[in-house]
Amino acid sequence: MADTLVPDFPMPRAARCPFDPPPALKELQQQAPLVKVRQWDGSESWLVTRYADQRALLGDPRVSADPDRPGYPTKASPAAGEGKLSFIMMDDPEHARLRRMVTAPFAVKRVEALRPAVQRIVDGLIDDLLAGPNPADLVETFALPIPSLVICELLGVPYADHAFFQDHTKTMVHRDATPEQRGQASREVAAYLAGLIGERVTRPQEDLLSGIAGRVIAGELTHQQATEMALLLLIAGHETTANMIALGTLALLQHPDQLALLRESDDPRFIAGAVEELLRYLHITHLGRRRAVTEDIEIGGQVVKAGEGLIMVNEIGNRDPEVFADPDRLDLTRDARRHVAFGFGVHQCLGQPLARMELQVVYGTLYRRIPTLRPACALEDVPFKHDAFIYGVHELPVAW
Amino acid sequence: MRVELDEPKCVASGQCVLAAPEVFDQRDEDGIAFLLDETPGADSLDGVREAVAVCPAAAIRLAER
């Protein structure tokens, strides 16, 4: 039967190449621009393998990000807690209306103003790391707390509540947490954020939650929508940034020549370029961007029909040899700015200026302050997050 | 050269500001891009081309003369 020829998605990575896309995915990219793949629930969707087609389709108004549309390839069963996350799973014009309510604090200049605060957070965590036991788990001590504390800063979570916030956000992404525990932690954080928004409605301050509260007062958002939006900003920026910090550090430790370039540079432009290359090379959203086709579209010599699903794995788009020469090589000196690690089209990551700045501070500080940083276990013993929504490492034992 | 920005298409990704900060900026109220200079000099050409290439909403056009 022809059915048996449809490959399963996702595919396994090669054991010795945890930073590279699965070999089968690379093969499909060489074979055809669009390939049917089968998912966990038996449904078949189009896997879009090439950079130019991924950008074209993600930017096409005939595709929908709404998981309720026919053909939308859901990442997992609803029990896994993927949920419908505010505007990232909506289409325009409602998507644009909601998105524009929270874009201001992520503008490049606003984010730049946060840089000293992020530097303080990173320096403080490195002080704590150096004062604590050696070896240590870099994920727990450094990678996860950074985005959590930065989000506290951005949203306006009072200092006294940072411990609660860190504790619960950690549970939300922890591998040893049961789905019930994750759900419970998520509900407690949501209730906490709802409370803060309520406070800001009566006593506005200069923070992101006050901006959202203002929309509630103006009748543009319900309290529920406002809470979902705050939770989305937290979830979207937390595990993603943490995984880029830990996985990026591991990749650099495996490429000592590249790590040396970063450690020895104090040129902000070089560090910014290095961040772009690590975003291109690592690409943590390994399950791809998902869309449903709403009108027939001809692309790559193929017609994708209304009611069919699309999976854009930007990880292989970023390794497309048509766009990036010698794409499987980590080269911090290359111009990698055209990568699609943040997606493309109207849904492209709105927090990207913040993610970039956080990673610039982290990569520009950690290896200079701890020049002897090294892995405390063999690469094959590092637990990679093959099954998670966001790729990375569960733990990264390091010594110095 | 002449730069055109289709403001309603902008999704405030900020990528144009990173690529050519002398040509693009973002509004305080919602981060939507605006032009600081509609007819920048040749020095800005590479930056503006990069902005056109990375804009996720295809909201920037460059007319070279």
Side-chain angles (χ1 to χ4, degrees):
Chain A
M1 263 171 62
D3 266 11
T4 56
L5 296 173
V6 176
D8 287 334
F9 181 87
M11 292 126 181
R13 286 173 200 266
R16 303 182 71 89
C17 307
F19 309 116
D20 286 338
L25 216 47
K26 297 279 289 179
E27 274 170 39
L28 291 179
Q29 184 183 52
Q30 283 159 18
Q31 284 164 16
L34 282 99
V35 191
K36 276 273 174 83
V37 290
R38 184 181 294 120
Q39 283 219 98
W40 62 278
D41 58 353
S43 66
E44 291 181 12
S45 304
W46 290 106
L47 182 81
V48 185
T49 66
R50 295 180 189 171
Y51 175 91
D53 295 334
Q54 290 181 352
R55 291 210 338 171
L57 286 167
L58 286 169
D60 196 310
R62 294 169 293 178
V63 306
S64 168
D66 180 353
D68 293 335
R69 291 269 188 171
Y72 184 95
T74 48
K75 283 187 187 133
S77 72
E82 186 181 16
K84 195 167 174 174
L85 279 173
S86 189
F87 55 84
I88 62 170
M89 291 184 167
M90 295 178 189
D91 296 322
D92 285 345
E94 184 64 359
H95 157 264
R97 185 183 81 88
L98 294 174
R99 177 175 165 125
R100 282 193 180 201
M101 289 183 189
V102 285
T103 38
F106 297 99
V108 172
K109 282 182 183 164
R110 290 275 297 273
V111 164
E112 209 44 52
L114 278 177
R115 190 182 286 265
V118 172
Q119 185 70 56
R120 273 197 303 279
I121 289 169
V122 170
D123 282 329
L125 287 166
I126 294 175
D127 291 341
D128 294 348
L129 180 67
L130 290 172
N134 180 1
D137 172 18
L138 194 77
V139 173
E140 167 118 25
T141 57
F142 188 72
L144 276 173
I146 288 171
S148 179
L149 290 170
V150 171
I151 293 162
C152 284
E153 191 79 32
L154 185 79
L155 290 178
V157 173
Y159 187 79
D161 298 334
H162 281 195
F164 161 87
F165 199 77
Q166 283 229 54
D167 209 41
H168 284 70
T169 52
K170 199 167 79 186
T171 305
M172 284 165 67
V173 299
H174 203 279
R175 75 167 152 175
D176 295 333
T178 63
E180 291 74 29
Q181 285 169 327
R182 288 180 196 204
Q184 179 65 25
S186 176
R187 281 190 297 277
E188 284 183 36
V189 169
Y192 173 77
L193 291 171
L196 272 190
I197 293 168
E199 281 177 29
R200 298 297 195 275
V201 167
T202 44
R203 282 187 307 278
Q205 300 180 20
E206 288 293 316
D207 55 37
L208 178 48
L209 285 182
S210 299
I212 294 177
R215 304 289 182 163
V216 176
I217 297 168
E220 295 167 24
L221 283 181
T222 64
H223 206 100
Q224 173 70 21
Q225 282 175 318
T227 304
E228 281 170 14
M229 212 180 254
L231 196 62
L232 164 68
L233 296 178
L234 160 68
I235 291 171
H238 185 226
E239 198 182 0
T240 46
T241 313
N243 285 359
M244 273 305 298
I245 292 170
L247 195 63
T249 298
L250 181 57
L252 288 165
L253 291 171
Q254 300 295 318
H255 294 81
D257 57 323
Q258 299 297 310
L259 178 57
L261 291 177
L262 202 49
R263 193 193 290 126
E264 283 150 27
S265 175
D266 54 5
D267 174 4
R269 289 182 56 177
F270 176 78
I271 294 167
V275 167
E276 300 308 312
E277 170 64 351
L278 283 157
L279 286 163
R280 179 196 76 84
Y281 180 74
L282 293 171
H283 204 93
I284 52 169
T285 56
H286 61 152
L287 295 181
R289 263 85 182 172
R290 311 301 183 92
R291 297 289 187 271
V293 180
T294 59
E295 283 175 46
D296 294 3
I297 303 171
E298 192 179 346
I299 188 139
Q302 187 78 45
V303 176
V304 293
K305 296 202 175 68
E308 291 187 318
L310 300 172
I311 301 176
M312 263 77 61
V313 186
N314 297 134
E315 181 177 28
I316 50 168
N318 282 337
R319 301 290 187 104
D320 188 335
E322 294 285 323
V323 185
F324 300 102
D326 198 2
D328 295 331
R329 194 158 68 92
L330 176 66
D331 175 6
L332 300 187
T333 66
R334 84 162 85 217
D335 183 354
R337 287 178 295 176
R338 296 187 186 188
H339 66 73
V340 279
F342 292 116
F344 202 72
V346 297
H347 287 280
Q348 192 182 54
C349 176
L350 84 91
Q352 58 183 297
L354 180 62
R356 287 190 160 100
M357 187 269 283
E358 284 181 72
L359 294 174
Q360 287 164 9
V361 173
V362 167
Y363 297 148
T365 307
L366 180 62
Y367 321 120
R368 286 170 78 84
R369 283 203 54 194
I370 317 183
T372 56
L373 191 76
R374 61 182 186 275
C377 75
L379 184 61
E380 53 267 33
D381 295 331
V382 174
F384 286 90
K385 302 170 91 167
H386 293 293
D387 310 330
F389 284 151
I390 308 291
Y391 185 62
V393 291
H394 290 291
E395 266 175 54
L396 181 57
V398 291
W400 54 91
Chain B
M1 74 178 134
R2 181 171 179 80
V3 185
E4 291 168 12
L5 176 71
D6 190 347
E7 204 183 278
K9 278 187 169 179
C10 176
V11 296
S13 75
Q15 297 227 62
C16 55
V17 180
L18 293 174
E22 73 283 12
V23 179
F24 302 96
D25 201 351
Q26 288 170 285
R27 296 199 299 232
D28 289 340
E29 63 269 31
D30 55 11
I32 296 303
F34 67 89
L35 287 167
L36 293 169
D37 187 352
E38 287 178 26
T39 53
D43 291 355
S44 299
L45 186 59
D46 285 351
V48 173
R49 279 194 182 137
E50 186 63 24
V52 171
V54 295
C55 175
I60 306 166
R61 277 176 25 134
L62 171 62
E64 284 172 74
R65 284 188 290 201

